[in-house]
Amino acid sequence: MLLAQVNTGELRLKVTDPGGLGLSASITISSNSSQYLNSLTTSKSGEVDIETLPYGIYLLRAESLGFTATTETVEIRSALPSEHTIKLTVAPVKTSVQVSSSAPLIDPYRPSSVMQIGSQQIQDRTASLPGRSVQDLVDTQPGWLYEGNAVLHPRGSEYQTQFVIDGIPLTDNRSPSFGPEIGADDLDSMSILTAGFPAEYGRKMGGIVELNTRRQTADGLHGEVVLSGGSYDTGAAYGQLQEVHGKNTFGATASGSMSAHYLNPVVPENYTNRGTTGDFSAHYERDLTQNDRLNMSVRHELSRFEIPNELVQQEAGQLQTGSNFETMGTVRYQHIFSPDSLGTLAAMVRDNANNLNSNQNSTPIIAFQHNNFREGFFKATYSFHHGHHEFKAGVESDNVFLHEDFSYRITDPTQFDDNTPSSLAFMEHRPDLEQSAFVEDLIRLGKWTISAGLRWDHYQLLLNQSAFSPRISVGRYLPSLNMVWHASYDRIFQTPSFENILISSSPQIDALNNNFLRLPVQPSRGNYYEGGLSEAFAQCMSLDVNVYRRNVADFADDDQLLNTGVSYPISFDKAIVYGAEAKLSLLHLAKLSGYASYSYMVANVWYPVTGGLFLGDDVTAAVTQTIGHFPASQDQRNTLRTRFRYQFVPWLWFAAGLSYGSGLPFAYTGDQADALAQYGPQVISRINFDRGRILPLLATDATLGADIHKSDRMIIRFQADGSNLNSRLNVIDFGGLFSGNAIAPGRSFALRLSTNF
């Protein structure tokens, strides 16, 4: 039965010989329906724990030298650990035995609107440039857009994407210009949830990306080294070491990268766009007892980068630089009270700083920003399994202490209204206090699955508000058609982004325009509806179709300060977003696999606007436009993505795909002649001024991968990637002079060499 919520369990697997003694064996665990694939090795005693497996049916294959490979299926349907034993038989002498099996194409327990990517899929979906991030991987998924190097979901802005890393939610903007990123090499699996949200999740509901970092399970020392480089002077290195000793696991990772194409440039010349990143982490895990497990980790990330210039700024000699620093520590304790109940405690502390600096030649404004925040997070959950029910309840508290320091000085007054102050200095600090509690029940009744939950949120920053959010999802499995249909309703209470929210809502900056009434940015409240079906056919293909509608009051968005990379939260009176998505997957046809997806979306928002830091013509627009509606910045009507992979031989494969977008809307106050003089014919040829939309985007990519060396102790892989092979100038966003245009990378190539041991 199709679940409407994402929950994860744990599989405790043991491999034995015919006499019941433990065996060291290679394990492959996969689920066709959720696109999960992972390879592990048991300990010398034949045991391995596989954590954070989303509910569903999995295919297990165990192999050990001298024994016949065995394939079995196992179902994960509870947060409590599931135990499973595979008994291998001695392989007959001079006889080759092939065991072939496959998990159901339609998993009756697979969560709706979820894409799960295992470690192998992550390696296969590399981005065009080395040092790729989680955002790059999210961008490859159907129905997601990538604008200005910030993750966008077609049903919400980049500010409303929630990343959950090893069970810890991060609700701040994780795009490159706002915060350090988690590198894809650190990941073991990734899930994307777009509807049927469990009551456990709240605050940022545009989309949820669950990330689980790597953990080795076999005894001894293991590691990985990755080197990559390519176009735009890009290079990256990643290293990981992990020691498993009895009940203790120690691990550490380090990575660094550089590129001359860090952000999406605003003009094709790609002026001032260099960036470097670094990442260091360590973790410790111990099984205190059979029923108790402790996890601890610490991570430090940093990035330093330049802000891309426009032509006028480059000629003036402008140099604006940004930097992000983040240090985070987490601890997680799990206790099994009984065979039917499980409790978890999780906590996080982190310190984050974002900076912007400008030289004296900056135009039309010299801007400085030195923001930081400290966060303390705590969460406690309790799960209980009884009969047809899987209950879960919990509480969480998130306290963020914000400090904002922003100043500017106008250097070109002709770009602003006459009454705009020539300088501004703003400094303020305040705590953002948020608490929540939830309860949810997952009910299985024959071919039906019902998920029902209730969440309570309290938000206290500039406003003091609270709300209850009911959620319900229903699924029905039709075995005669090998089909699952599902429907869900989500009530959401979505807190505003806290980046620059103090200045966005502060009456201290009313002096910028005394005609503008500045009010605090309100939390968003909305009703999300979705329905769809999943069907398998021809024993090798599956089709997923979804339709959705979102009605949101106080719709969250952001307003960018010129093209500085600094953004401010705003909200519109309301928004209506609706559309449909379809994905056709070829799971296997001999050596070929792949998918083709299409999404249609319409998104409109209604005036007036609240919040922001408006300068120049934007002030007049914010004051005078109080009624009417217009297309949202994510309103790309048609999006098509394909990717197919062919395995020539076991050690050599090739993949290729394309992405198409019908183009986003734009607003430009000048005329076409002004735009031509500012940006040249290349950019203007990609703009439709009559329709107010950017012309369609199209990019093709290809990857060739090979296993250079493969043994029981070491695997060396080589990969070559090509992106935008059609060399099209793809304009992602267009807003006019100093308004944050975004141009996608041109034709680029990358090479990657990885060694696992």
Side-chain angles (χ1 to χ4, degrees):
M1 184 62 55
L2 186 74
L3 295 188
Q5 62 180 182
V6 168
N7 280 295
T8 60
E10 176 183 338
L11 175 63
R12 294 182 175 179
L13 180 67
K14 184 172 184 178
V15 180
T16 70
D17 64 11
L21 297 177
L23 279 176
S24 178
S26 298
I27 303 297
T28 300
I29 178 170
S30 63
S31 175
N32 284 336
S33 60
S34 59
Q35 300 186 27
Y36 181 89
L37 175 65
N38 209 346
S39 298
L40 311 103
T41 304
T42 66
S43 65
K44 294 179 181 179
S45 60
E47 297 176 334
V48 62
D49 290 350
I50 309 172
E51 303 176 43
T52 60
L53 288 175
Y55 291 172
I57 298 174
Y58 291 84
L59 183 72
L60 293 172
R61 181 178 175 86
E63 299 176 89
S64 185
L65 185 64
F67 295 85
T68 300
T70 300
T71 303
E72 298 180 5
T73 58
V74 63
E75 179 183 348
I76 304 298
R77 59 181 298 173
S78 173
L80 291 158
S82 299
E83 297 184 355
H84 187 81
T85 300
I86 297 178
K87 182 178 291 187
L88 299 183
T89 59
V90 178
V93 179
K94 297 182 180 179
T95 300
S96 176
V97 178
Q98 296 292 333
V99 179
S100 179
S101 178
S102 62
L105 295 179
I106 291 294
D107 187 340
Y109 296 102
R110 182 170 64 91
S112 66
S113 300
V114 171
M115 174 164 290
Q116 175 74 24
I117 302 176
S119 57
Q120 183 62 43
Q121 278 72 20
I122 287 179
Q123 292 178 2
D124 294 349
R125 292 169 183 255
T126 55
S128 61
L129 298 178
R132 64 198 185 284
S133 67
V134 170
Q135 277 84 345
D136 299 321
L137 295 175
V138 170
D139 181 42
T140 68
Q141 310 313 320
W144 289 69
L145 303 178
Y146 197 60
E147 178 183 6
N149 273 3
V151 176
L152 294 184
H153 192 274
R155 307 171 208 174
S157 78
E158 66 271 30
Y159 279 96
Q160 301 304 327
T161 300
Q162 180 176 167
F163 288 87
V164 182
I165 302 176
D166 293 331
I168 303 294
L170 301 181
T171 57
D172 55 314
N173 192 337
R174 306 302 294 180
S175 61
S177 59
F178 281 85
E181 304 172 285
I182 299 294
D185 289 309
D186 278 335
L187 297 183
D188 177 67
S189 64
M190 177 174 72
S191 302
I192 297 175
L193 180 62
T194 63
F197 298 107
E200 183 175 358
Y201 293 129
R203 299 190 293 160
K204 299 295 182 289
M205 304 302 295
I208 295 172
V209 181
E210 287 191 326
L211 309 171
N212 296 301
T213 57
R214 291 190 176 190
R215 295 289 190 272
Q216 294 286 348
T217 57
D219 290 338
L221 181 65
H222 304 274
E224 180 182 17
V225 176
V226 180
L227 300 175
S228 55
S231 304
Y232 299 109
D233 298 330
T234 301
Y238 168 82
Q240 178 198 48
L241 283 176
Q242 183 165 292
E243 172 75 22
V244 181
H245 182 72
K247 296 181 178 181
N248 300 284
T249 301
F250 305 88
T253 67
S255 66
S257 68
M258 62 180 183
S259 176
H261 199 286
Y262 184 79
L263 300 173
N264 284 329
V266 292
V267 293
E269 288 80 3
N270 189 38
Y271 295 127
T272 60
N273 199 7
R274 291 192 171 273
T276 59
T277 66
D279 178 287
F280 313 92
S281 71
H283 70 267
Y284 171 70
E285 179 177 318
R286 177 175 174 82
D287 291 330
L288 303 174
T289 68
Q290 184 70 12
N291 297 326
D292 297 87
R293 175 177 292 148
L294 177 68
N295 291 273
M296 296 185 294
S297 69
V298 62
R299 178 183 295 273
H300 178 70
E301 301 171 293
L302 60 92
S303 62
R304 295 183 175 91
F305 52 91
E306 299 171 339
I307 308 298
N309 280 345
E310 294 192 355
L311 294 173
V312 175
Q313 295 168 327
Q314 183 70 14
E315 293 172 356
Q318 169 174 293
L319 179 62
Q320 292 183 327
T321 59
S323 61
N324 308 131
F325 301 90
E326 181 174 83
T327 302
M328 179 189 338
T330 66
V331 60
R332 186 171 182 266
Y333 173 73
Q334 176 182 292
H335 175 69
I336 300 175
F337 293 99
S338 71
D340 295 317
S341 61
L342 171 73
T344 302
L345 300 176
M348 174 193 68
V349 292
R350 64 169 170 154
D351 187 277
N352 183 290
N354 299 292
N355 302 295
L356 171 72
N357 294 286
S358 305
N359 69 356
Q360 294 301 309
N361 296 326
S362 298
T363 184
I365 193 172
I366 297 175
F368 296 90
Q369 176 179 273
H370 302 287
N371 290 358
N372 64 75
F373 67 82
R374 291 183 174 176
E375 180 178 11
F377 172 83
F378 172 79
K379 182 176 183 178
T381 61
Y382 177 77
S383 301
F384 178 70
H385 178 77
H386 179 71
H388 299 292
H389 299 268
E390 182 79 19
F391 297 100
K392 192 173 187 180
V395 296
E396 66 179 27
S397 174
D398 195 10
N399 302 314
V400 181
F401 299 90
L402 304 171
H403 177 81
E404 293 184 12
D405 183 355
F406 174 80
S407 62
Y408 77 72
R409 179 168 60 86
I410 292 176
T411 57
D412 185 359
T414 63
Q415 301 297 328
F416 302 92
D417 291 341
D418 293 338
N419 61 348
T420 301
S422 59
S423 63
L424 170 72
F426 177 86
M427 182 181 296
E428 189 173 345
H429 57 87
R430 185 172 296 193
D432 177 2
L433 309 177
E434 302 183 31
Q435 304 86 34
S436 63
F438 72 92
V439 60
E440 56 194 25
D441 186 14
L442 184 63
I443 309 169
R444 298 179 178 88
L445 298 172
K447 297 178 176 62
W448 291 88
T449 295
I450 302 171
S451 173
L454 180 65
R455 179 182 177 89
W456 173 81
D457 284 284
H458 175 243
Y459 169 69
Q460 183 178 348
L461 180 52
L462 300 173
L463 301 169
N464 192 339
Q465 297 187 8
S466 61
F468 285 95
S469 303
R471 317 265 176 86
I472 186 167
S473 302
V474 179
R476 176 71 159 87
Y477 179 44
L478 305 174
S480 60
L481 299 175
N482 207 10
M483 176 189 296
V484 176
W485 68 260
H486 59 88
S488 66
Y489 164 75
D490 298 300
R491 175 68 179 175
I492 64 102
F493 177 79
Q494 191 165 252
T495 57
S497 170
F498 58 67
E499 287 88 5
N500 293 305
I501 192 172
L502 301 182
I503 191 173
S504 296
S505 303
S506 174
Q508 295 182 30
I509 60 171
D510 283 348
L512 296 179
N513 190 292
N514 53 19
N515 294 322
F516 188 68
L517 177 61
R518 189 166 303 279
L519 300 172
V521 178
Q522 296 280 335
S524 301
R525 302 170 189 259
N527 298 301
Y528 293 1
Y529 310 90
E530 182 166 56
L533 60 86
S534 299
E535 181 175 6
F537 52 93
Q539 297 300 313
C540 64
M541 303 183 72
S542 66
L543 176 66
D544 295 276
V545 178
N546 296 292
V547 295
Y548 60 87
R549 181 183 177 94
R550 292 185 172 186
N551 300 330
V552 184
D554 295 305
F555 179 74
D557 207 330
D558 65 283
D559 174 62
Q560 183 164 281
L561 176 63
L562 306 180
N563 62 332
T564 62
V566 176
S567 293
Y568 301 89
I570 60 175
S571 65
F572 291 94
D573 182 58
K574 68 175 183 178
I576 297 177
V577 184
Y578 62 89
E581 302 170 330
K583 180 184 179 184
L584 181 64
S585 300
L586 177 64
L587 302 176
H588 59 83
L589 181 61
K591 298 180 179 181
L592 182 67
S593 62
Y595 74 88
S597 68
Y598 169 78
S599 67
Y600 172 78
M601 185 200 64
V602 177
N604 288 294
V605 296
W606 273 257
Y607 293 111
V609 62
T610 299
L613 177 62
F614 299 108
L615 300 174
D617 294 335
D618 291 339
V619 175
T620 303
V623 172
T624 59
Q625 295 177 336
T626 58
I627 59 173
H629 68 276
F630 65 97
S633 59
Q634 300 97 330
D635 182 62
Q636 181 159 259
R637 300 297 171 87
N638 302 286
T639 303
L640 174 68
R641 296 186 187 277
T642 67
R643 186 164 179 88
F644 288 89
R645 167 177 166 150
Y646 187 80
Q647 192 84 36
F648 294 106
V649 291
W651 57 271
L652 181 66
W653 57 272
F654 174 79
L658 66 84
S659 59
Y660 167 86
S662 57
L664 295 172
F666 71 91
Y668 180 59
T669 56
D671 57 31
Q672 189 167 346
D674 294 333
L676 182 62
Q678 292 169 3
Y679 296 105
Q682 267 190 301
V683 173
I684 302 309
S685 66
R686 306 301 308 156
I687 306 298
N688 188 326
F689 286 89
D690 294 332
R691 294 184 62 239
R693 282 190 176 268
I694 300 167
L695 292 180
L697 295 77
L698 178 65
T700 59
D701 63 84
T703 300
L704 180 67
D707 290 341
I708 300 175
H709 172 78
K710 190 171 185 179
S711 66
D712 292 339
R713 299 183 59 86
M714 180 178 294
I715 300 175
I716 301 177
R717 290 191 173 103
F718 174 79
Q719 188 167 303
D721 299 283
S723 182
N724 194 13
L725 297 177
N726 51 317
S727 194
R728 185 177 216 170
L729 177 67
N730 287 313
V731 177
I732 302 173
D733 196 14
F734 181 76
L737 185 62
F738 309 132
S739 296
N741 299 350
I743 296 174
R747 180 186 293 149
S748 55
F749 302 91
L751 302 177
R752 171 184 168 89
L753 182 68
S754 64
T755 302
N756 292 268
F757 58 91

